[in-house]
Amino acid sequence: MYELKVEGMTCGGCAASVKRAVQAIDANAQVDVDLPTKSVKVSTSAELEAVKAAVEDAGYEILSAA
């Protein structure tokens, strides 16, 4: 599981965009977005770099990833 801190998410639409972006690279990914903390937890078989790239391509800045 990866935990990302993502800047720029402000609403449910943003959360859905991040979820769609991750699931575009792994349809079975589990994505939990917590808007108040800007936290995104991702359970996926995809590599961390691929997940980060997908989120950034969706227009969001990643502050940290682990």
Side-chain angles (χ1 to χ4, degrees), residues 27-45:
N28 296 318
Q30 297 296 314
V31 183
D32 292 315
V33 177
D34 185 348
L35 289 174
T37 63
K38 300 179 181 177
S39 173
V40 179
K41 291 182 181 176
V42 181
S43 180
T44 180
S45 59

